[in-house]
Amino acid sequence: MATPLGIALLGMGTVGSAVARELKTHADLLAERSGGPLLLRCVADRDPLRLRPLLLSGVALADDGAVALARRDVDIAVELIGGLEPAGTLLHQAVQSGLGTVTANKAVIARAGPELAAEVRPGSGGLAFEAAVGAAIPVLAMLRDSLRGDSIRSITAVINGTTNYVLGRLHGGESLDVAVAEAQRQGYAEVDPSADLDGLDAAAKLCILAWFGLGVSVTPDQVDRRGIRDLGPVDAAAAAQLGFALRLVARAELVPGGLDLSVQPALVPLAGHPLGRVEGADNVVVVESDLAGELVLRGRGAGADAAASAVLSDIVAVARARREGRTVPLPPAVPAHVLDPREAETASALRLRVRGGTEVTGIVTQMFEEHGIPVERTTPGPGDGDLLVLLGPAARDTLAPAMEALRALPVVEAVEQTLDRLVTRGE
Ligand code: HSE
């Protein structure tokens, strides 16, 4: 019988509790798959109430993650605290002290992943973080292992379950605040849901996808980012009227001159695009590469069990590697030139409040065309005096002066909303 490997679990929140539960209920299966028993030796959390279910379980309890990591009977650290600190310091401690390390922490991995990777000790089992992106969706494994002969051009994704859930509720007519409270109740949102609503969580995940898929080292502050706080049911109604869904779209694309990196709310065609029908907290990742073409991965992107699925898989992979004196592989990453957002091309959708009769559409169209921006479609919007305008692709640099001229038109009372629109290939 192989020697057991000891696990220290840091963080007993929703994901930590699910992992602790499954380490017990799936113990035989996990032992078989990882080449020997895995024993939960110690659980650390600052909140004693969260540790209460483990009293009398025989598992050691600690209020300090560093103490758990320093135990002699621990071989694998599982960090599920989330957020930058103390999680970041504990992850450095874990890899530097030669523990196999598993984390779901997108915030730390997006900022310090390559640095942590360089600190991994040979034979330790290594560092794995599949749960950091897309929870149950094995997207990092796919990017790392399955496209070794391909050049990936772009990754386009819905990778924040909370915002997708919230946007879905806006489509049902609910207000943003009510929808966010429900996402928190369902366990999708971060402790501070600002990270979800402001697109930070998606930006962190996008950086990790760009590392594994495009081989580049980028950080969340390089992402052209806009969240969903200023969206409401009226925007969802306007999008639906035009045949689109509102999504928070994360995109990394290698273009001539650099890397286009953005997280933006966008109108996505309801029909004919893989991002069009992503329900609830599901995530979808679309990868475009030269040989494989378009690959679409879809699944549960948030929630305790979905994240636990990826964490357990990583624990097995790291345990196997440790038993075999290896580390799980991590792809190299090189710095990239990230394009200035003003250089990027965008197709916009506008909701205007206008005054006047049938002549308004002609005036607005003529103004955009004078700025070299084609108007693809106009239609009355959901509210009184609303006009919806779909523009063709244009550089953001070109769009800015046209928007200024639009605001100055006497027939335009207000520009109520400006959103990007995801243009499907062939359009
Ligand atoms: N808050 C995250 C989300 C959890 O909503 O996607 C999963 O990473």
Side-chain angles (χ1 to χ4, degrees), residues 15 104 106 131-135 159-164 183 187-191 193 195-196 201-202 205 281 283 301-303 307:
V15 181
K106 51 258 168 159
V133 185
I159 40 170
N160 180 266
T162 302
T163 46
N164 201 59
Y188 303 146
E190 298 300 301
V191 180
D196 299 298
D201 178 85
K205 291 167 177 167
N283 285 187

Side-chain angles (χ1 to χ4, degrees), residues 56-74:
L56 307 177
S57 67
V59 175
L61 306 178
D63 62 1
D64 180 354
V67 171
L69 296 182
R71 289 175 63 99
R72 295 174 67 88
D73 59 358
V74 165

Side-chain angles (χ1 to χ4, degrees), residues 19-68:
V19 169
R21 184 194 69 216
E22 293 306 323
L23 280 172
K24 202 166 160 198
T25 53
H26 278 175
D28 291 344
L29 183 106
L30 296 171
E32 190 191 317
R33 292 182 179 170
S34 60
L38 298 171
L39 295 183
L40 184 57
R41 301 279 197 199
C42 184
V43 176
D45 198 297
R46 280 182 176 167
D47 182 351
L49 281 180
R50 289 173 153 197
L51 295 174
R52 206 179 254 178
L54 292 162
L55 287 171
L56 307 177
S57 67
V59 175
L61 306 178
D63 62 1
D64 180 354
V67 171

Side-chain angles (χ1 to χ4, degrees), residues 140-187:
L140 298 184
M142 192 271 277
L143 291 172
R144 184 191 58 202
D145 301 334
S146 308
L147 295 168
R148 291 187 231 242
D150 273 58
S151 276
I152 298 176
R153 279 189 294 256
S154 69
I155 300 170
T156 309
V158 166
I159 40 170
N160 180 266
T162 302
T163 46
N164 201 59
Y165 177 83
V166 167
L167 292 172
R169 303 286 285 222
L170 297 190
H171 275 285
E174 209 160 78
S175 76
L176 189 92
D177 291 347
V178 171
V180 171
E182 186 54 26
Q184 285 177 294
R185 210 182 60 77
Q186 300 270 351

